[in-house]
Amino acid sequence: MSLRIVGLNAFLPGFRLVHEFAERNGHELVLVATLPDTSRYGAADPMVAGLPDDLNVLITRKLRTVAAPVIAALRPDVIISAAFPRLIPDEILEIPKYGAINCHPSPLPAGRGPTPQRLIYEGDERVGATVHRTAAEFDTGAILAQRIAPLPDDLNGSGLMQSWRTLLSECLDEAVPKLVAGDPGQPQDPANASDAPFFTEDERLLDLTEPSRAIRRKAAALNVTAPTAQVELNGTTHLITRTDPATTDDTAAPGTILEKHPDGWTIQTADHPLRLTRG
């Protein structure tokens, strides 16, 4: 059965997730609704610049008075939000024939909120992904599909993004047929819920005296949407775009610069050296 889908996206990877799902399963993406300034939500450029020319696009902040009537006129079967940082009002949730679902890159109910990669920053060695029914509050609806995998070998922002793309694609392929069949989903247990607020400026500064795994995990989490991980060396703060294990064998004190490179440094951490690439 071919479905008419409306996507709500403010970040190109979120759009691509929905677009690829629709193409993969023979569905029609009849509209993408987005926000006027998507660069606030991690996009390097306005999202519409990366959309196909033949796609119907609605750009508005007014979800109730502008988006809802337009979406209703298109008679969608399903609404899929992915990386859309606004609560979706009932005026929209009540429109689709089968319902509305949201894609969230964490193992809900853990990691609710705008920065689900915080779980990895704080020590989780897993990548999680969930597709759930959209509810009145952020990331609280009943779960239709969930995947959990180990952190990728490429423990950088791009590696995490690829893992989430794979896991969320699998979740959508499972969740949408359940939605159409009327599956209510599994309610989330509030006792296991945790919030994932935005990173603070202090949290963006990496501590090079920590173990290398912790540094890599934090840098990857900070660099998911755009590079924001920082280090301070010789009194200057630098943006770090990626970290990689280094083969240098050294017993220097943690935080010592072992080698300088045109694009960064090799640094001794609490256990193993790391190659830091500068932004």
Side-chain angles (χ1 to χ4, degrees):
M1 175 175 59
S2 177
L3 300 173
R4 294 172 60 81
I5 295 173
V6 167
L8 303 180
N9 314 111
F11 185 41
L12 268 175
F15 159 75
R16 291 184 185 121
L17 180 72
V18 178
H19 185 248
E20 290 168 4
F21 165 77
E23 287 198 328
R24 186 167 64 247
N25 292 279
H27 303 315
E28 182 183 4
L29 188 58
V30 296
L31 177 73
V32 167
T34 189
L35 301 169
D37 183 11
T38 54
S39 62
R40 294 175 55 195
Y41 309 107
D45 299 301
M47 197 188 81
V48 293
L51 298 179
D53 292 338
D54 60 350
L55 188 68
N56 294 322
V57 181
L58 175 65
I59 305 171
T60 183
R61 293 188 183 91
K62 299 179 179 180
L63 300 184
R64 288 183 173 87
T65 58
V66 175
V70 173
I71 293 171
L74 292 169
R75 297 176 291 104
D77 296 306
V78 177
I79 290 176
I80 304 176
S81 56
F84 191 75
R86 294 281 301 276
L87 284 174
I88 302 171
D90 288 342
E91 288 87 343
I92 290 178
L93 296 181
E94 295 169 354
I95 293 171
K97 179 177 180 180
Y98 298 110
I101 55 177
N102 180 58
C103 302
H104 191 72
S106 86
L108 290 174
R112 291 174 175 172
T115 317
Q117 63 267 36
R118 176 174 284 280
L119 296 178
I120 295 168
Y121 181 98
E122 295 178 349
D124 200 334
E125 288 286 334
R126 309 169 302 162
V127 182
T130 306
V131 172
H132 61 92
R133 286 181 173 270
T134 307
E137 299 298 328
F138 281 120
D139 309 322
T140 58
I143 294 171
L144 290 167
Q146 188 169 89
R147 297 287 188 277
I148 298 175
L151 290 178
D153 292 335
D154 177 20
L155 188 48
N156 284 288
S158 57
L160 291 181
M161 284 294 289
Q162 183 56 51
S163 292
W164 277 318
R165 182 177 185 174
T166 299
L167 297 179
L168 285 169
S169 292
E170 293 177 2
C171 285
L172 276 176
D173 285 343
E174 177 184 345
V176 172
K178 286 184 175 181
L179 185 74
V180 171
D183 189 327
Q186 180 66 37
Q188 297 186 36
D189 183 355
N192 296 325
S194 64
D195 293 327
F198 291 112
F199 292 116
T200 66
E201 286 303 313
D202 287 344
E203 286 175 319
R204 297 185 189 281
L205 189 63
L206 301 174
D207 181 355
L208 297 177
T209 67
E210 288 191 313
S212 56
R213 182 70 176 181
I215 295 170
R216 297 203 69 206
R217 204 179 54 242
K218 289 182 177 182
L222 289 167
N223 289 345
V224 164
T225 56
T228 62
Q230 300 173 356
V231 297
E232 187 173 305
L233 296 171
N234 299 325
T236 302
T237 301
H238 303 273
L239 193 66
I240 298 300
T241 59
R242 64 177 293 122
T243 67
D244 294 282
T247 56
T248 305
D249 185 12
D250 200 281
T251 57
T256 300
I257 299 174
L258 302 178
E259 189 176 354
K260 293 183 180 180
H261 310 282
D263 62 349
W265 310 266
T266 298
I267 304 290
Q268 179 65 34
T269 72
D271 48 13
H272 306 296
L274 280 182
R275 172 74 157 82
L276 308 182
T277 300
R278 183 180 63 236

